[in-house]
């Protein structure tokens, strides 16, 4: 299994932010975490709201913490709201049940981290993160 490096993470951030700019998205914030849930890199576009870093980290944190993609988390939250509420409380609120949190995988498909984005519609956030992960030569897994 490969390790998520700072170079990977910084490429994910910069490429995702550039994708958002090119696509005309609202200002994004991108967070990249390793498999231990530690922040490796974070970037904020000018004009991104002050809560956006917390949301981006929470989207990635939920994915890596539960080892479930954002769509699976959303389905679980819908099917069992008490489960989601309990997990969100346990995680200090660092779990979101909307797209924008994405697994970062190596070329063999092994999870090496997660990335999250916040700032635009959830599907746009996810699209930007996927573009960043692919620009880093890694594989995105969204559950879509």
């Amino acid at each position: 299994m490969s390790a998520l490096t700072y170079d990977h993470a910084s490429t994910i951030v910069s490429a995702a932010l550039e994708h958002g700019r090119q696509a005309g998205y609202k200002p994004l914030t991108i967070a990249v975490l390793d498999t231990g849930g530690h922040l490796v890199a974070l970037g904020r576009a000018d004009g991104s709201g002050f809560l956006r870093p917390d949301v981006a980290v929470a989207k990635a944190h939920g994915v890596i913490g539960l080892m479930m993609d954002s769509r699976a988390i959303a389905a679980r939250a819908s099917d069992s709201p008490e489960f989601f509420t309990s997990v969100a409380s346990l995680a200090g609120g660092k779990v979101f049940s909307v797209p924008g949190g994405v697994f970062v995988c190596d070329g063999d498909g092994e999870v090496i981290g997660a990335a999250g984005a916040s700032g635009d519609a959830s599907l746009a956030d996810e699209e930007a993160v996927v573009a960043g992960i692919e620009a880093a030569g890694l594989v995105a897994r969204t559950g879509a």
Side-chain angles (χ1 to χ4, degrees):
M1 174 160 77
S2 303
L4 179 68
T5 67
Y6 174 75
D7 286 341
H8 290 135
S10 62
T11 297
I12 292 167
V13 168
S14 62
L17 290 173
E18 182 58 25
H19 180 87
R21 277 191 290 278
Q22 293 292 323
Y25 296 162
K26 294 175 185 171
L28 298 177
T29 297
I30 311 297
V32 182
L33 309 181
D34 65 16
T35 56
H38 304 286
L39 183 65
V40 179
L42 183 125
R44 240 177 108 245
D46 293 342
S48 184
F50 73 89
L51 287 177
R52 296 299 180 183
D54 294 326
V55 174
V57 167
K59 285 182 177 183
H61 189 262
V63 167
I64 203 71
L66 294 172
M67 290 306 285
M68 296 170 69
D69 61 67
S70 292
R71 284 172 177 75
I73 294 170
R76 188 75 183 266
S78 177
D79 291 344
S80 181
E82 63 282 352
F83 169 80
F84 181 77
T85 301
S86 297
V87 167
S89 177
L90 180 67
K94 291 194 280 184
V95 175
F96 269 65
S97 63
V98 296
V102 177
F103 283 112
V104 178
C105 302
D106 65 13
D108 295 326
E110 294 294 319
V111 174
I112 59 172
S118 179
D120 205 288
S122 294
L123 290 176
D125 293 346
E126 179 181 88
E127 183 181 293
V129 170
V130 168
I133 292 167
E134 290 173 353
L138 299 169
V139 177
R141 197 170 81 209
T142 65

